[in-house]
Amino acid sequence: MKELIRSKVWLSLLALLAILSLLDWPPASVLAANPIVEENQQPGSSDWVLLKPANDVDMQIKGYASATSVNLGDAITFYVSVSPAQNFTVEIYRMGWYNGAGGRLMQQIGPLNGAKQPAVTLDATTGLITAPWSASYTLTVPTTWTSGIYLAKLVNAAGFGNYIPFVVRNDSYKGGFLFQSGVATYQAYNNFPNDDATGKSLYHINSFGANTISGGPHAVKVSFDRPYADYGDGDFFKWDYNLIRWLEKSGYDLVYATDIDLHTNPALPRDFVALLTSPHDEYWTKAMYDAVEDARDAGVHLAFFGTSTLLWQMRLESDGANPNRQMVVYRNGSIDPVADPTLKTVEWRDLGRPEQALVGIQYASFAASANNNTDYIVTNGDHWAYGGTGFNNGNAVAKIVGYEIDSYQPAYPMPANLSYTLLADSPFVDADNNVIRGNTSIYQALSGAWVFATGTTSWSWALDKVGYEDARIQKMTRNILDRFLAGPGTPTPTATPNGTATPAPTPTPIFCNPGLSAEAESGVLHGAFITVTDSLAANGQSVLTLNGSGSLNAPDAAHRVDICVTVASAGQYRIIAWALGPDADSDSFFLQVDGQPTTAERWTIAGGDTYAPNAAPLRPSLAAGEHIVSFLLREDGARLDRIELQYVGRHVTHAHLYAACYAGHQRWLCPHQRLRRHLRQPSHPRPAAVQAHAMWAISATLFICPISSDHKARPQAWDAVSRDMANFVIATDQSGS
């Protein structure tokens, strides 16, 4: 029955592709001649669709390639297992637009003799799974082929099929756009064999079998010497397919490579006008990060077409015979054996290189599934990126924000820039029912390079996916890519609202006060906040929003002042502000510390005609180090003179602020709804096995919840937990300290 349903689904897809193939847009006459335009004028085929997919339990047919990419004229080897042994064929498809067909048949191979290959091997310590298979076929790539993403479609004599994806490069081609396929992220999520018993990925949510050094069933090393799970395509159809269809339909001059190629050849992006990354590109080596940062600073434009870009550092290792075939991510620096601290496989922001400094925004959260996507909400609608779209502030595009999102996070440094703009500010309900803000950003680096970040994994849906396509987002994306092509990355002025051009200043870097007190004017001011001469204030200056700036019922990060203070000792702190509310009764701000809580706290200050100390309702738990206290516009006219943080007690560790009971990529072990139930119990037993890297949140009611290190940074998760606890949560490690 399942196979019948699958066949009907694929046949429906074939019918849809046939309809799309009747559309001829854009006409070839409007596109500049380049290899992509010429390639997409060739006859396409939808026969790449699997009508009878193999699975990882019966292993009817599975395979992998000797490399993630191959240059024109070079060879790539396929390793294929067939069960039971029988003949099989290989069809090579290049994926693209092709008048809506989605692919082009490039070569047919076979029938070949197929054999059932040995079972996978497992390293019990690291969880590394490899498939020690013999070579089945070696393909020499014709020099006449066009660079692109290719699928080897494997079909056995019984009709079962599976894919082997690979990229064909053209190492001699310069100019145009370089598209980077994020195969490392494919591999991070790959849990082959997905058989509910054996498979392991870097995520314990889809890993099976015994625990590894990670403390859970997930691996700390994964190998490219094995097939991808299920259909075998990695995440190609989930995220990349719609994007490359649209890019090739639009006629952009593209050359393709993988993130592994960027690692081995860091100078690669400098041969192109711009680097475009795939919608899910989380894992980067230090060489990759350095290369893209250097490219931006050399004037190469960047477009990050997804989210959680640059979240994790990875290392690449040899499989003993070939370089860069194993991917290493411990997630926990204390168990990572590498001696160089800059190479620890943890989040980049924990290494002092937050992704926001390059991307412009950074990973914030995720929804339970793509079915929980929310609407894209336009802000700064007069920006040139929105030219000709018809967008105005507040306009919405349905269901393209998620399932992961990025946000601008004021606790982390902005990239050095000539101009910086948030293009979207979209309320987003994450997997723990927190409402946070998803952002899309664009900035111009000091080199003149433009850097665009969609901040959502589902951007490509609005470009090409049936039911989600939006002509306005398509036009906006073309505006940005066409600006990339307009010329070299020379610095350009920012247009003022009246259309006159004025140089855009580089934002003032945040100066961090060395202690717990700070003058408000030492902060960085955004939007309606200004510094004024004030005889009532210390040092004769204060910060305020002018009357007429407006009052906001909801916090807006575009209007805020960020004040940096330095905490010497970790602990819980209260915030005192010397503020003045000119109204007879009171005035108010919104308040955040390090961007938390995600919905800023309203802070009402006493009215009067002198500065008086006001205690904030928010009492954050802070690690030692620098922290950003942000005041956001609530009511205009309120003045702020200085602030002070005062220690009040023990603290929740910094790590707790980034995760609360997170137990995997898509699930929570202890969501706050469940937390409430446990808090009503008089006690909760501590599990016997506490991993060395685990943390424990303990309330006054003795509730205990493990917090795994296998998580994405989720600072907003703390909001729900902290509000549910009647008493302040303290932290203890395995030793009970």
Side-chain angles (χ1 to χ4, degrees), residues 2-21:
K2 289 183 177 178
E3 296 301 330
L4 177 61
I5 293 172
R6 284 177 176 169
S7 297
K8 288 182 177 179
V9 170
W10 284 111
L11 289 171
S12 298
L13 178 57
L14 283 172
L16 175 61
L17 290 170
I19 294 171
L20 290 174
S21 68

Side-chain angles (χ1 to χ4, degrees), residues 16 142 156 209 224 242 269-270 277 279 297 347 365 367 379 382 390 394 413 447 519 578 596 603 619 691 696 707:
L16 175 61
N156 69 12
F224 286 97
N242 294 113
R270 296 201 188 195
T277 70
D297 295 344
E347 292 176 356
S365 193
T379 190
D382 58 351
S447 65
E519 296 296 323
W578 276 260
Q596 299 305 307
W603 182 0
R619 293 196 175 191
Q691 308 307 325
W696 294 85
I707 300 173

